[in-house]
Amino acid sequence: MSNKILVAYATFTGSTAEIAEAIGKILAEGGASVDVRPMKEVTDLTPYRAVVLGSAIQKSQWLPEAMTFVKTHQKQLSEKPTAIFMVCLALAMKSKVAREKSETMVIEWLKPARDLIHPVSEGYFAGILDLSKIPSFWDRFGFRISVWTGVWCEGDHRDWDAIHAWAREVATKL
């Protein structure tokens, strides 16, 4: 059997792509051959013995292209060890109480994917809030109000230690 692993991602502003690259690097350090690619570029899962899928969260769900990918490849994904992760700002809320509430809530956001493919592991990571990368005026406006009211602060909220630890754990399950 091939020792090749696919890390496929759907990203909104690029943060998820960088996390996918970091996960791929950790998996490769364990001896696997790893391809890290955007989901929209992947058409065949046959060459891979295992898969890691990640998506940004928008409006409390994986990006549409990520769910389309899972539905399109559901049969193959259910036959291979598959891990999934999400990247969302809800995990970067400034208030500890709000952050803890968000942690409980975001688990449900992966339910549609979880129900289709039964992953061996799930990762939950905060992302980056860079207002200049948000294309919609109204979305940018809404985030500005959230920053002004103290819900979030701009910046990179990714916990690279947690991301690397999850990738090492996933390597043992794939």
Side-chain angles (χ1 to χ4, degrees):
M1 175 179 273
S2 164
N3 193 30
K4 202 168 196 180
I5 298 173
L6 172 66
V7 179
Y9 62 88
T11 190
F12 186 66
T13 61
S15 177
T16 306
E18 292 172 354
I19 290 172
E21 288 288 344
I23 291 167
K25 183 177 177 186
I26 296 288
L27 295 174
E29 288 172 1
S33 172
V34 180
D35 288 341
V36 180
R37 299 177 52 202
M39 287 179 189
K40 60 187 170 192
E41 293 180 6
V42 178
T43 57
D44 183 17
L45 300 181
T46 305
Y48 304 102
R49 73 166 175 83
V51 180
V52 177
L53 301 175
S55 175
I57 293 291
Q58 191 173 39
K59 298 180 180 159
S60 304
Q61 58 191 348
W62 259 14
L63 295 177
E65 71 188 73
M67 283 309 300
T68 297
F69 184 90
V70 169
K71 290 173 184 173
T72 300
H73 300 284
Q74 179 183 4
K75 182 177 182 333
Q76 284 185 295
L77 291 168
S78 65
E79 296 169 350
K80 300 174 187 285
T82 301
I84 60 177
F85 70 92
M86 61 179 282
V87 180
C88 73
L89 283 174
L91 296 172
M93 294 181 119
K94 288 173 75 174
S95 157
K96 182 178 179 186
V97 172
R99 200 170 47 254
E100 287 172 355
K101 184 177 178 183
S102 292
E103 289 169 1
T104 304
M105 190 172 52
V106 298
I107 291 170
E108 288 305 305
W109 297 347
L110 280 182
K111 186 176 181 350
R114 181 186 311 117
D115 288 348
L116 292 173
I117 58 175
H118 311 291
V120 297
S121 183
E122 297 179 17
Y124 303 89
F125 310 115
I128 296 174
L129 178 54
D130 179 350
L131 296 175
S132 70
K133 289 187 176 182
I134 299 173
S136 160
F137 169 80
W138 290 110
D139 288 343
R140 208 169 36 255
F141 180 73
F143 275 112
R144 283 189 197 286
I145 290 172
S146 295
V147 169
W148 181 72
T149 59
V151 174
W152 285 301
C153 61
E154 282 193 81
D156 188 343
H157 303 284
R158 296 173 293 184
D159 180 342
W160 290 107
D161 291 337
I163 292 164
H164 295 153
W166 183 78
R168 285 189 291 277
E169 175 196 323
V170 163
T172 66
K173 296 179 178 185
L174 297 178

